[in-house]
Amino acid sequence: MSGPVGSAAGRGSGAAAGRGSGPVAGAGREMAGVVAACLAGAAGVWYSASRAWAVEVTDRPDPLPDIEVLRTGAQELPWLPALALVGLAGAGAVLATRGTPRRLVGGLLAVVGMVLAGSGLAVLTGVLPLAGSATAATSTPAGWPALAVLAAALLLAGGAVTAVRSGGWPAMGARYERPATAARRGRPAEPTAAADTVGSSATVGRRSTLDAWSAFDRGEDPTADDGPPSGRPKD
């Protein structure tokens, strides 16, 4: 009777543990995906800003070749790489924060993504013309501004999801908190293996020292083996 009952109880506890860990694991995967999207979006904007967004062509009389000057997105729109770095830092802050601060970080990432996407669209549509020389014809290749828009949209989406859904995401380093801190936050503290090892070693060391002093008080040699004390006949 005990065998079937024990196995059934084991299966029940295992199923309960699986149900308990399922939502937590799903929230962790969602957070990891959003952080990866924010990192990819910010890195994409930063990289595209380092490419040529404008080409200035100055005509010269034959047989001299025309002069072409490439201007990067960072040269034309200096705020692009700066905001991209803000996006990279914000993606890391999503992992390091929790609760309301994490939602605020998500809102900031969404705003940064919106500004970056709007800048790229303004260049593509001609609303924001790129600066050029008065004596040179300026053309704007669509490839790199378009990549900046797509990457910024990815950052915008990641920030919006963080602002709306990050309430149930796990916090980084929760299992390494002190017991009092974890209790105040309503989570059980999980002692680490290193802490257990250090504690047990310290306890053993204290016991060994006390045993040695007790042996000295009795007139015994604590370094001797199981033989009789020094100066006493063996029974």
Side-chain angles (χ1 to χ4, degrees):
M1 294 294 292
S2 60
V5 172
S7 61
R11 289 193 299 269
S13 60
R19 289 193 300 270
S21 61
V24 175
R29 287 192 295 269
E30 182 182 36
M31 181 180 68
V34 169
V35 171
C38 292
L39 289 174
V45 172
W46 183 86
Y47 181 75
S48 65
S50 66
R51 304 294 94 187
W53 281 38
V55 180
E56 293 180 354
V57 180
T58 303
D59 294 333
R60 296 199 300 178
D62 295 333
L64 298 176
D66 296 338
I67 299 176
E68 291 188 357
V69 177
L70 302 181
R71 297 183 59 84
T72 65
Q75 290 175 321
E76 296 292 337
L77 307 177
W79 61 86
L80 290 181
L83 290 180
L85 292 178
V86 172
L88 290 173
V94 171
L95 294 175
T97 55
R98 61 168 63 88
T100 301
R102 178 180 280 171
R103 293 180 184 273
L104 293 177
V105 171
L108 175 63
L109 289 176
V111 171
V112 169
M114 188 180 304
V115 173
L116 292 173
S119 300
L121 286 174
V123 171
L124 288 175
T125 57
V127 175
L128 183 62
L130 300 180
S133 173
T135 60
T138 303
S139 62
T140 303
W144 297 115
L147 176 61
V149 172
L150 294 177
L154 194 61
L155 180 62
L156 170 59
V161 172
T162 301
V164 174
R165 296 181 54 84
S166 63
W169 292 355
M172 183 180 66
R175 63 176 301 174
Y176 302 105
E177 291 180 348
R178 294 180 180 272
T181 304
R184 286 196 301 268
R185 290 176 177 161
R187 290 192 302 271
E190 299 184 14
T192 61
D196 294 341
T197 303
V198 172
S200 61
S201 300
T203 302
V204 172
R206 287 194 298 270
R207 289 178 180 173
S208 301
T209 304
L210 291 176
D211 292 342
W213 282 111
S214 299
F216 275 122
D217 292 339
R218 294 194 300 269
E220 301 174 357
D221 184 3
T223 62
D225 295 334
D226 295 337
S230 176
R232 295 186 183 180
K234 189 174 182 177
D235 294 338

